Every structure is written in structure tokens, then in C-alpha cells.
Amino acid sequence: MEIDLTPALLSFLDESSDLLQEMEEELMRFEETGEEDCIHSIFRVAHTIKGTGGLFNFEGLVAFTHVLETVLDNMRSGKQPVSEAAIKLLFASLDCLKEMFCCIDKDGEHFDADLIADNQLTKSALEALSATVVAGADQSALAQDTATINEIDSPEKVAAEKAVSDVQKVDDQYHISIRFTENLCREGMDPLGFINYLDQLGEITFIELLMDAIPDLDELDPEGCYFSCEIALVTKSGKADIEDVFEFVCDDITLKIMPPDAPILDFIKAIDELPESNDLLGDILVKAGAVTPREIEACLQSQRQGVQAHHEVGGEGEGKEGGVQEEGADDRDEAKPPPLLGQALINDNTVSPTIVDEALKTQKKLRNERSQKMQSLRIAPEKLDKLIDLIGELVINNANTQLLASQTQHQDLMESMAVMSHLIEEVRDGCLKLRMVAIGQTFNRYNRVVRDICEGLGKRIDLIIQGEETELDKGMVDKLSDPLTHLIRNALDHGIETEEERVAKGKTPIGTLSLNAYHESGSVVIEVKDDGKGIDPQVIGEKAIEKGVVASVEGMKDSEIMQLIFAPGFSTAHEVTDLSGRGVGMDVVKRNIENMRGMVEVDSTINVGSTIRITLPLTMAIIDGFLMSVSSNTYVIPLDSVIECVEVEALENKITQYINLRDEVLPVVYLKKLFELEGETNKRENIVVVSYGSRKAGLVIDKPLGEFQTVIKPLSQLFSQLNWMAGSTILGSGEVAIILDVAGLIDCTLSLLESSSSTPAPNNAYASQGGTTP
Amino acid sequence: MSAQPIEIEDDQENQDQYLTFIVQGNVFGMDILGIKEIIEYCPLTRVPLVPDYIRGVLNLRGRVIPVIDLNVRFCLEKTDTTKKTCIVVVEVHCEDEVIEMGMLIDEVLEVKEILGDQLEKAPDFGANIRTDFIKGMARQDQGFIVLLELDKVVSVSELTVIGNLVDKQTPGSE
């Protein structure tokens, strides 16, 4: 019988990728700041991976992390100097770990230890790591002496240290008592397997098989397990590691692990050093390695049972005496209060009193300064999407209900509806926020990318990250990482010059690449900025002509030429990138961004640098819209883009014109004319002033209808090419309204006017399809 | 012009069911497998700046789907809506996605079973619509029913509105 480990394995893989990410971040931080905390964190990660890896029998992984752990341990105890080479080695080991996790298949079967051993990268890293360990060991003797003397100054501690050091020579000997239950074999477990596995952790110096429980032959069930063991294990592993061995059978055995006497002082020290994250005594002890979570749980259980018994007795007493206080109190005295957790642990002989004392002190300290670490919850994205879909339906139906309510003219009903709408709005916002994540994590990932690329290119480049706290939709963050990597690679590879070139140009030898994110009128802007050589429009133009992207660049503005780097087909050939400095897959970048309803802009000055600006909508599902009517049609524009509504005197009957808005020139688009809708021009026209990017324009409409919570319904494939249409939505009446994309609409208007003034476009896409003729 | 039976991939006994309907006085048939539902005509939301073959968009129980005017698509005039005007909702496969679309037609007739041996090849010319729209001709007592090739009639790639519509002056609009 096999236990299906797949779900456990999946969550292990999932967790590990997070852990590795954390490790990478800490490592970067350590490289920068040299803070000791980071090493602790890295150690924790390595330790966790080792522990869990062992559970799944990933021997290669365990062996590797074990060595890594030793190095880290030496580093944090100061036995081994933290040099640049050492950090490099840690990075290399991190990559190895990543590699190993790639080898682990989802079904867990294809994890090939040989594969890893064969892997040159892993091999060399492991060798290098081991070498450091050996080198470190030589120094360790010296370092240890000085370190311990320096660290320990309080008299009791010195005394304790001395007392302990004698025992320490006996080595780290654990005593493990195992009582298997009868069911073990029926569960498909083999007791021998655990013993064998224990042997891998260290050396089993003593083992005694207890056979008292074996019943008479008549009663003996051949499938039952009647053995028990007493084992002495010499190991460097922590207690949790040993307990992990029995993880799967914890229900079927009674396990008691007696910690070796030796490291008690270590426990005390560890408790002192514990990072303040959790104020439970139990947890403190667990983290110190003195006890394991299971023991705490067992203690708590017995404590609880005590409480229960206590209540029962107390309750009975009260019941009998009918509320006579004195009597009841007596009864309560008789039933002793349950022992405190700390006491319970001592009584249980699991930890020594000194350790509990220390832990209690730390606990007190922690209670004062409340832990501020944010708790987070993992949720499958589909669940959130489903919820947001439902909220969308709720919003639409609410609009409908509100419409009906207002038709009844029932005052109370309308008021109640208003409150309801307000609540729904809050639910909607709250729900959408669930999907929002800070972009910092994505940005920080590039620290590594930049570091590696720079190393490869031999350039020195500083990465500056700003606006990490800027939040945007999780879905978008995921889709952003590819385009961003592209842009960063480009900037590093082609944008920023080599050190010599930079010095020759009078720039600082170290280049700067900055990633910046900020909110701007309802959208998120992400900038990738370098101080490199910039993009030469002339070179771009020439290349574009050569590649047949455009026929001629005559009359094109520099900014327009710059946009050509996003044209498909521009960047496929390699020599282009070498010459132009940019363009690897820029069309892909643009397409990815546009798929998210965002836009990309390039801004570049030769020899000063380039900025690539990505503007993204805040969310993809529900927006605050502004409803307006043109003829009998209703349109929606994002409320964030609306600046104001003004009324002006009658306008000319043209698609575009300009008006004087408080002495400012404001170009306006006559929607009715543009959309070829019926209806006469009004005596006074309503204009919605909108902003798009950094520019302003006016839309001439018939009537503004106010705010509207707009659930964006995806566009049909048929309209996917229309950039002036942002989507559609359903109004309270059930009618469909089209959401206009302001920037796209204005672009569309301009190209429409341009082409109608010049000759018609050469290929009429519709002529061949029948139905429309020019 | 001699019409010869065309080859049917499945065995001869296979009889397909076709929905028959009228567009501009002509009877057409369409395999019911691609048809999701038939709804009564209801006012559509016009989409500006798109060719006339897109009649508008429709709210189909919370989903917004485009409606294609088959009259325009078949080189005819824009459909005048009457009491009998219907929207046939179909599913078209495009790459990995299934796209829903509505087809505006003049009148729905019935679902007919058409046997494989009743099928004839499309005439090379003479049918008032593009030949590639025609899957075959079904021989009936009174004449032929033009069976439509759904994927061609509402071909996503062909119907996708490309970029900014520049030459959108069509006769018959407004």
C-alpha cells in the first residue's frame, strides 16, 4: 500500500519556489548590507528545504542543502569569513537548488539523483561548498574559542557552559523511544524503513528491540506490529529532523525524543537570538530546536484535558450546591488548575527548566512589542476570479434593481437601494483589492537579472528601484514580467555603454538603470529608464526602411520614428539590435502590454538615455465609468479620464474643431458626427473634458448621465483590433453600452481625418468581403 | 451543369439535421450542431465605426455578443426588421477559443433532416452568394436548399474589424 504523496509534493514544490525566492532576496540584501539577519533567513530556508526534501527522499537535494547549511552555519557563527567569493558561491548554490527543483517532476517520480550528480554546475558548487567547509573547519577551532569567550560574559552562563562542555564530548546523542502501534504494518509502513532512514541522519550507536508486547501465538495477528525500539542516535541534525522521519506515522507510534544534554546552552542562546515573530512559548521552544511542534501540541492537549476535568468538577460542585459560593470555591480548590504549559513541558521531561525560563523571558519581551509581520493567505486565483465575476453580475443586477426602484417613486425603497448600492460598491472595491499586489516583488526579482547580465557583459550598472509599493492587478503583474525582462535586457545590453565608453563621454563609469512605478490618473505607470546612449531616430529610420517596415520616414517626427521599433518585423534580425541599440522583440513587448489594455511609449535622448514608459489600467474587471448619451446611444468612458464637463455655445458641424476653454485651446471631437449618428446639433453643447496621457481633449456629447459602476465585458474577437473600443458593459436596463478608450478614440479620429483628406488607403480590407464598397 | 453527389465523410445512412431559414426570400439551411439558440429580434446596440455587416451587439444573459447581418454579408441589403426577424446564435471555433455570434435572419422555418444522398455539390455560379459560403445543396421536392458553411459565413478572421475604419462609406447605410 502506497500513500499518495502527490498533493504533499505539490505543496512542497509550491512552497519551495517561494522559499527560493525569499532566499534570493535575502542574499541580495546580504550582499548589499551585510546584515547578519539575512544569513539567518537564508539558513532557515535551506533548513526547511532540507527537512522537507528528506521527507520525499530527495537524497541529492538533502545532501546538497546539508553542505550548504553547514557553510551558512559557519558563516553566521563567524567561523568562516564572509567574502565576496563566498557570496558568489551562495548564489551559485541557489541556482543549483533551483535547477534541482526543476528536475522534480510534478508526480515526484522523475527526480533523478544521478541527474543532479551529473550536473556540472551542481557538482562544482557542491565541491566548492565542501571545500569551504573544510577550510572553515581549520579556522573554526580558533574562532570558536574566541567567539565563545567574547559572547558569554554573564557568570551563570560561563558556569553553565563549563558544565555543559564536559558532556559535549559525548557528542550529540539523542535518545529516541519508539512505540509502534499494532496498526503500523496495516497502514503499509515498514518499521525497518524508519530505522534505516534514521541511520542516514547520523549514526545509530545503540538499538534495543522491545518485544514485550508480542502476544501469544493464538492472538497474534500476522499483520500486526508489536515491536518497540529504544535507539541512541548520534547526529548533527536537529530534533525536528528526527521527528520528520516519523512524519507519516505519527498517529501510529508513540515517539519520545530526548534531546542530547550537550546543546542545552545552545538552546538558551538560540532563544535569546530568536527573531521576534511569534510570542507563543511553544513556538519559541520549537524554533530553538529544544522541542518540536508535536510535543507542544501533546502538552497542550494534556493541559486542555486538565482544564476540562477542572471544569467538570467545578461545574458539578456548583450544580449540587445550587450556587452556594463557598462550597463551590472549595470544590474548585480541590480540582487543581491545570499546569501551565511551561511547567507541563518540564514535568513531561521534554525540556530542562533553564530553557523554559529563557523562553518565558523572550515571550514577555515579545508581548510588549506586538509582532507586525503580516499574515497572508494563499488563495487559488480562479476562486478570486469567480468571486469577481459574481460581483460583476451583482453590480449589473443592482443597477437594474435601482432603475426599477426609481421607477416606483417609492421613497423608502429608493433610500434602501442607495445604501445597498453603496455597500455593493465597497464590496466591489474590497474584492478587487484582493487581486492587487505590490509590484515590489516583481521588481526585486530583477536585481538578480541585472546582476547576472552585468557580470556577463562586464559592465557596472546600478539598479534603482522606486515605487515598490505601487499596487496592480495580480494577473497583470504576471504578464508584465516577460516584457519587463525584455526591456531590462535591452537596456543593459544595448542601452548602457561599457565603462570605457562612458568615461570617454564624460559620464559616470557606473551606469544606472531605474525601475519606477507610480499611479497616474487611474492607471499605473511603469518606467524602465537607463542613462545609456539613447536611441538614434536616424538609425531607426534607416533600418525601418531597409526592413521594409515603412516606405519612407520623410515627414515623420522623431517620436513617430521611435515608435517604429515596436513594429513587427523590425527587430527579428540580429544586426538591427547591434546597430540601433534596441529592438529585441519589442513588438512582442508592445503586444503583451496592449493585450492588457495598456500602452508603451519611448522617450530617448541621444547620449542621455532612454525611458520606456508602460501605462496600464489599474484593473481589468470593473471600473468606475462615466455614462453619457449621444443621440439615443449610451457610451461609457473611464471616470478617471474625465476632468470636467462644460457647456458651450453651438459648435460648427464638423468632426473636430477647437474651443476656447478658459483661455486654453481645447481640441474637441464631435462624437455624433464621428459615429455618424442621427440628430441635429444642439443650441448649447455639452463637452466632457478628458485627459489621455499628458494631453487633454473634449468630447462633444448630448447629455452627461453621471457615474456608473462599469463591469467590463470582454470584447468579441471581432473588435479586438479596434483600439478605440475598450470593451462593453451592460446597463441597468439590460442594454449594452460601449466603453470608449479615450486615447484610442482620438487616434482613430485623427487617422480618419488624415486619410479622408489624402488619398484613400491602398488596401481596402472590406472591399473583397462583399457588402461594403468604397 | 450536371450536379453529382458529393462525398460524405461519414457513412451514407448518416442524416444531418439542418435548420432552415429565409434570408431575403431565399431558403438556406445550416447544420444545427453549430447553433446554440434562436432568439427573437430585440433592439441591438449599434457599434459605431464598423462595417455594416456588424449589426450591433446584444446582451445575451450577461454576455455581450456581436450580431452579423446575413443580408449584408450575402451582398444584399440591410435587413429590415419585421415580426419574424430572428437572431440565430452560433458558436464558431477560432484557434483555441469558441466565439459566440448572432446572425440576423428574416425568418426561421424548421429543422429538417437531410440525408447524405440528398446532397449535391454547390453550383460553380448562379447562387446569389459567395460560393465558398455554400457547403452543398439539399435536393427537396420544391427545389434546392442552400446549405451554408458556418465557419465560412461567420469566419472570425474575415469578419474581424481591422484597425481604424477609413473607407466606411457604404450605400444603404442611413
Side-chain angles (χ1 to χ4, degrees):
Chain A
M1 197 170 87
E2 278 275 318
I3 295 187
D4 184 18
L5 288 180
T6 320
L9 182 70
L10 284 181
S11 81
F12 168 56
L13 290 179
D14 202 26
E15 226 168 72
S16 302
S17 72
D18 280 2
L19 284 170
L20 289 176
Q21 175 69 26
E22 185 191 330
M23 192 163 165
E24 182 156 12
E25 274 164 28
E26 291 295 333
L27 205 48
M28 298 295 298
R29 198 156 69 92
F30 181 66
E31 191 183 24
E32 212 170 291
T33 61
E35 276 174 42
E36 208 174 308
D37 277 2
C38 306
I39 287 286
H40 287 301
S41 312
I42 299 167
F43 182 82
R44 268 200 299 276
V45 171
H47 186 76
T48 314
I49 290 177
K50 182 176 113 171
T52 339
L55 206 63
F56 292 99
N57 271 325
F58 296 145
E59 282 169 27
L61 185 69
V62 174
F64 187 84
T65 34
H66 183 73
V67 182
L68 179 65
E69 216 179 73
T70 319
V71 173
L72 285 166
D73 197 32
N74 286 345
M75 275 185 172
R76 66 173 179 178
S77 60
K79 285 180 201 163
Q80 190 175 326
V82 183
S83 61
E84 209 168 296
I87 291 177
K88 218 168 177 177
L89 192 63
L90 289 181
F91 270 117
S93 339
L94 180 63
D95 287 341
C96 289
L97 281 179
K98 282 186 183 165
E99 196 99 329
M100 286 186 196
F101 276 102
C102 290
C103 299
I104 302 176
D105 227 343
K106 290 277 182 266
D107 52 12
E109 276 171 18
H110 299 280
F111 183 76
D112 200 346
D114 294 338
L115 196 72
I116 285 163
D118 280 347
N119 189 325
Q120 204 52 46
L121 183 69
T122 320
K123 223 180 199 170
S124 56
L126 193 58
E127 267 167 26
L129 276 175
S130 315
T132 3
V133 175
V134 177
D138 294 338
Q139 294 175 355
S140 66
L142 252 173
Q144 202 173 19
D145 283 348
T146 42
T148 41
I149 291 164
N150 288 344
E151 266 173 36
I152 298 158
D153 37 18
S154 77
E156 317 103 19
K157 275 189 181 174
V158 175
E161 166 94 320
K162 267 188 186 153
V164 159
S165 58
D166 296 332
V167 197
Q168 215 155 12
K169 298 214 171 70
V170 187
D171 223 335
D172 299 320
Q173 179 168 313
Y174 285 83
H175 186 81
I176 306 166
S177 309
I178 312 167
R179 300 283 176 277
F180 298 113
T181 60
E182 225 184 286
N183 261 331
L184 186 83
C185 297
R186 292 186 200 121
E187 299 285 333
M189 293 299 184
D190 177 7
L192 190 62
F194 298 107
I195 313 288
N196 283 339
Y197 190 75
L198 265 186
D199 202 27
Q200 287 180 15
L201 284 181
E203 193 190 340
I204 296 179
T205 50
F206 169 83
I207 183 161
E208 177 76 42
L209 193 62
L210 306 175
M211 291 175 287
D212 311 348
I214 300 181
D216 289 340
L217 197 57
D218 304 344
E219 294 158 31
L220 188 130
D221 179 351
E223 285 179 5
C225 173
Y226 303 99
F227 299 113
S228 301
C229 286
E230 295 286 332
I231 299 170
L233 176 71
V234 176
T235 175
K236 295 263 187 254
S237 307
K239 195 169 174 186
D241 283 337
I242 299 176
E243 210 169 57
D244 277 349
V245 174
F246 301 97
E247 170 100 12
F248 290 120
V249 285
C250 52
D251 295 336
D252 290 322
I253 59 171
T254 318
L255 184 68
K256 184 143 278 178
I257 304 169
M258 312 289 273
D261 291 334
I264 287 185
L265 199 74
D266 290 356
F267 291 157
I268 299 175
K269 263 200 270 172
I271 287 169
D272 271 341
E273 286 164 7
L274 261 182
E276 294 133 4
S277 61
N278 201 323
D279 55 359
L280 271 175
L281 168 64
D283 283 19
I284 294 170
L285 286 174
V286 172
K287 278 202 180 164
V291 287
T292 46
R294 199 153 301 125
E295 283 170 345
I296 295 283
E297 218 170 280
C299 265
L300 282 173
Q301 197 111 34
S302 59
Q303 206 178 12
R304 248 177 259 132
Q305 275 164 2
V307 172
Q308 216 163 17
H310 170 61
H311 276 304
E312 271 164 24
V313 176
E316 252 176 356
E318 269 171 5
K320 270 181 204 161
E321 306 307 322
V324 182
Q325 283 261 316
E326 277 175 355
E327 298 276 348
D330 279 349
D331 271 356
R332 247 172 256 133
D333 269 352
E334 275 169 31
K336 272 191 190 165
L340 292 169
L341 175 58
Q343 203 106 45
L345 280 172
I346 297 167
N347 291 348
D348 236 23
N349 217 355
T350 347
V351 278
S352 70
T354 14
I355 297 183
V356 176
D357 260 5
E358 283 296 323
L360 279 171
K361 268 188 225 157
T362 321
Q363 187 182 24
K364 227 178 231 169
K365 213 166 76 192
L366 278 178
R367 279 205 180 128
N368 293 338
E369 7 174 323
R370 267 269 158 233
S371 127
Q372 293 182 351
K373 216 173 190 185
M374 295 284 280
Q375 293 284 322
S376 64
L377 193 64
R378 273 167 182 277
I379 301 175
E382 309 85 66
K383 283 190 191 167
L384 268 187
D385 289 347
K386 177 96 186 123
L387 184 64
I388 288 170
D389 275 356
L390 279 173
I391 302 262
E393 295 302 309
L394 186 66
V395 168
I396 290 171
N397 278 301
N398 180 56
N400 187 20
T401 318
Q402 211 166 11
L403 193 78
L404 295 175
S406 67
Q407 277 164 7
T408 62
Q409 293 294 322
H410 193 295
Q411 203 58 40
D412 290 350
L413 180 62
M414 279 159 72
E415 264 172 40
S416 157
M417 274 311 300
V419 176
M420 178 88 123
S421 305
H422 182 71
L423 286 174
I424 288 177
E425 213 166 302
E426 273 181 31
V427 170
R428 177 203 72 172
D429 287 347
C431 192
L432 287 178
K433 271 204 193 96
L434 292 179
R435 281 189 61 94
M436 303 290 261
V437 291
I439 199 164
Q441 214 191 357
T442 314
F443 274 2
N444 285 328
R445 215 166 283 171
Y446 293 111
N447 270 318
R448 184 70 199 278
V449 176
V450 171
R451 190 184 171 279
D452 288 357
I453 295 177
C454 288
E455 213 154 82
L457 293 171
K459 294 178 183 175
R460 277 162 67 199
I461 295 164
D462 275 343
L463 178 68
I464 298 171
I465 292 174
Q466 285 166 310
E468 289 160 282
E469 67 294 331
T470 312
E471 286 192 326
L472 75 166
D473 195 281
K474 173 84 174 101
M476 286 199 264
V477 170
D478 293 346
K479 284 186 200 148
L480 254 181
S481 77
D482 276 355
L484 270 182
T485 313
H486 242 121
L487 294 177
I488 288 171
R489 284 228 174 102
N490 272 345
L492 295 177
D493 197 3
H494 313 299
I496 297 178
E497 313 91 329
T498 58
E499 226 171 301
E500 298 85 52
E501 277 177 281
R502 290 184 67 89
V503 173
K505 281 178 185 169
K507 293 185 184 179
T508 49
I510 301 175
T512 316
L513 177 76
S514 63
L515 287 175
N516 191 9
Y518 53 91
H519 287 286
E520 190 186 77
S521 65
S523 33
V524 181
V525 182
I526 293 154
E527 282 180 350
V528 180
K529 193 173 172 183
D530 66 58
D531 64 347
K533 57 186 167 222
I535 305 168
D536 189 345
Q538 211 177 337
V539 181
I540 299 285
E542 281 166 19
K543 278 290 141 187
I545 294 167
E546 193 188 308
K547 291 280 149 201
V549 175
V550 283
S552 142
V553 290
E554 235 166 275
M556 282 173 90
K557 281 183 238 137
D558 278 1
S559 59
E560 285 169 342
I561 296 173
M562 219 76 101
Q563 289 293 326
L564 291 176
I565 61 169
F566 293 116
F570 179 85
S571 49
T572 44
H574 249 285
E575 66 271 17
V576 185
T577 68
D578 294 334
L579 273 171
S580 66
R582 285 297 152 97
V584 181
M586 288 298 251
D587 57 322
V588 181
V589 171
K590 187 172 183 182
R591 201 168 47 228
N592 282 348
I593 301 295
E594 281 179 347
N595 281 345
M596 293 185 265
R597 296 196 289 113
M599 54 183 188
V600 205
E601 290 169 311
V602 201
D603 194 7
S604 181
T605 317
I606 294 175
N607 282 335
V608 175
S610 324
T611 305
I612 291 172
R613 197 172 293 114
I614 299 171
T615 314
L616 290 169
L618 215 46
T619 149
M620 308 204 274
I622 307 177
I623 57 165
D624 276 317
F626 181 83
L627 215 56
M628 56 199 196
S629 77
V630 182
S631 295
S632 53
N633 295 282
T634 314
Y635 297 98
V636 181
I637 53 174
L639 186 64
D640 302 302
S641 62
V642 177
I643 301 171
E644 59 178 328
C645 296
V646 288
E647 230 185 31
V648 294
E649 294 294 322
L651 296 162
E652 287 171 69
N653 200 2
K654 290 200 309 196
I655 292 183
T656 55
Q657 51 204 294
Y658 62 86
I659 60 160
N660 176 347
L661 177 72
R662 290 187 294 272
D663 290 339
E664 251 183 83
V665 178
L666 183 76
V668 296
V669 179
Y670 216 128
L671 284 189
K672 204 185 292 176
K673 295 293 298 172
L674 178 68
F675 291 167
E676 295 168 0
L677 299 168
E678 305 91 14
E680 289 306 304
T681 53
N682 303 325
K683 276 205 177 126
R684 290 181 69 80
E685 296 283 4
N686 280 303
I687 291 181
V688 187
V689 183
V690 292
S691 69
Y692 59 108
S694 47
R695 289 167 291 173
K696 267 198 214 175
L699 303 177
V700 186
I701 56 165
D702 280 348
K703 208 173 149 197
L705 299 173
E707 272 181 54
F708 179 72
Q709 284 193 63
T710 311
V711 181
I712 301 177
K713 293 282 173 184
L715 280 171
S716 168
Q717 183 96 16
L718 299 193
F719 307 123
S720 55
Q721 305 276 324
L722 298 177
N723 53 6
W724 56 268
M725 208 166 144
S728 52
T729 187
I730 294 171
L731 303 176
S733 58
E735 208 184 312
V736 180
I738 286 159
I739 306 170
L740 304 177
D741 180 303
V742 174
L745 185 70
I746 286 163
D747 280 352
C748 164
T749 315
L750 296 182
S751 62
L752 202 75
L753 290 177
E754 250 169 54
S755 60
S756 63
S757 57
S758 60
T759 49
N763 46 352
N764 178 357
Y766 308 105
S768 59
Q769 290 161 29
T772 53
T773 40
Chain B
M1 191 168 63
S2 67
Q4 36 184 250
I6 55 164
E7 300 245 332
I8 305 280
E9 280 170 353
D10 298 329
D11 54 278
Q12 284 289 314
E13 278 160 36
N14 175 41
Q15 40 179 292
D16 289 321
Q17 293 196 306
Y18 288 83
L19 174 79
T20 53
F21 51 83
I22 296 177
V23 177
Q24 204 76 12
N26 296 314
V27 179
F28 294 101
M30 187 169 271
D31 196 336
I32 58 161
L33 287 179
I35 295 171
K36 272 197 85 178
E37 59 184 298
I38 303 164
I39 52 173
E40 246 180 279
Y41 177 77
C42 53
L44 302 172
T45 302
R46 228 200 85 174
V47 182
L49 302 175
V50 293
D52 274 346
Y53 61 77
I54 295 180
R55 182 68 175 231
V57 285
L58 168 79
N59 169 13
L60 185 71
R61 290 184 299 276
R63 297 188 304 277
V64 177
I65 62 167
V67 177
I68 309 293
D69 191 334
L70 276 200
N71 268 324
V72 178
R73 183 75 176 135
F74 292 165
C75 289
L76 304 170
E77 289 153 31
K78 214 170 154 183
T79 307
D80 289 323
T81 54
T82 63
K83 263 182 158 179
K84 288 177 171 173
T85 307
C86 280
I87 296 168
V88 178
V89 181
V90 294
E91 270 183 352
V92 191
H93 295 266
C94 172
E95 284 162 21
D96 297 338
E97 286 171 90
V98 176
I99 293 160
E100 280 186 318
M101 276 192 256
M103 299 191 309
L104 195 67
I105 53 150
D106 287 338
E107 191 183 338
V108 169
L109 296 174
E110 59 179 329
V111 175
K112 262 202 157 82
E113 281 178 5
I114 291 169
L115 296 163
D117 58 10
Q118 288 179 296
L119 289 175
E120 303 285 335
K121 217 173 120 189
D124 290 337
F125 56 89
N128 286 320
I129 59 172
R130 271 165 58 182
T131 328
D132 62 333
F133 288 173
I134 305 173
K135 185 181 180 183
M137 309 289 280
R139 207 179 316 110
Q140 298 289 298
D141 299 338
Q142 305 91 359
F144 287 101
I145 297 174
V146 178
L147 302 181
L148 295 172
E149 186 78 74
L150 180 63
D151 288 341
K152 286 280 165 25
V153 173
V154 283
S155 144
V156 176
S157 58
E158 212 175 284
L159 291 177
T160 299
V161 184
I162 303 157
N164 296 323
L165 252 187
V166 176
D167 320 290
K168 207 228 126 219
Q169 297 308 317
T170 48
S173 71
E174 258 82 60

